[in-house]
Amino acid sequence: MVLDSYIVPIPKPKEHFSKSLTCEDFRGVAISPILSKVFEYCILNRFGEFLSTSDNQFGFKKGLSCSIAIKTVRNIVDHTIKQGSTANLCAIDLSKAFDKVNHDALFSETYAETYT
C-alpha cells in the first residue's frame, strides 16, 4: 500500500503584493492521509517508551517553545558569567537551508550510500 502526501504551497509572510512571486515566496506543507496518521499513533502508542529525544531539543516537542529555549540560554549565560567565565554564543538561522534541501535525496538509498 502506498500512502502519498500532497504538497500544498503556502505563501511565506512577506510583502508579496508589489512583486512577482517566485518559488522562494512559498513553503511546502505536506498533507498526509488519515491512514498514515493512524499508523503513526499506533506506532507511538506501542513503542513510544523506547523513543526519546534529547533534553536539549526544544523544537517540535510538546510543551516547549522558542521562549523556553531563550530562557534556558539566558540562565546558562547568567550562570557562566557569575562563575567569572566568558560566555560566547553563536546563532544560526537555518530556515533558508531547510527550503533548499533536496528532500527526495535525503531518502534516496543511492544518496545515502554515496555519503556514508
Side-chain angles (χ1 to χ4, degrees):
M1 174 187 297
V2 176
L3 299 175
D4 291 332
S5 294
Y6 297 99
I7 306 296
V8 178
I10 304 294
K12 293 180 183 178
K14 290 184 177 179
E15 180 66 34
H16 59 268
F17 297 108
S18 61
K19 66 175 185 115
S20 297
L21 295 176
T22 65
C23 291
E24 297 291 320
D25 297 319
F26 293 90
R27 174 173 273 108
V29 174
I31 298 176
S32 301
I34 189 69
L35 191 55
S36 64
K37 280 297 190 188
V38 170
F39 179 69
E40 177 185 337
Y41 285 118
C42 290
I43 293 293
L44 286 174
N45 186 31
R46 179 119 177 158
F47 299 107
E49 64 187 88
F50 302 109
L51 305 173
S52 64
T53 59
S54 169
D55 290 337
N56 295 327
Q57 178 183 343
F58 290 91
F60 305 106
K61 287 180 82 171
K62 193 174 195 170
L64 297 177
S65 66
C66 185
S67 59
I68 294 173
I70 291 170
K71 183 179 186 310
T72 302
V73 169
R74 180 61 192 244
N75 289 342
I76 292 169
V77 169
D78 288 344
H79 177 74
T80 303
I81 291 171
K82 285 179 185 174
Q83 297 296 322
S85 298
T86 302
N88 298 309
L89 299 176
C90 176
I92 302 172
D93 181 5
L94 297 175
S95 59
K96 289 292 184 189
F98 178 79
D99 292 341
K100 303 219 184 297
V101 170
N102 182 348
H103 296 100
D104 292 330
L106 290 175
F107 299 105
S108 169
E109 289 182 30
T110 306
Y111 182 83
E113 291 171 0
T114 304
Y115 294 99
T116 56

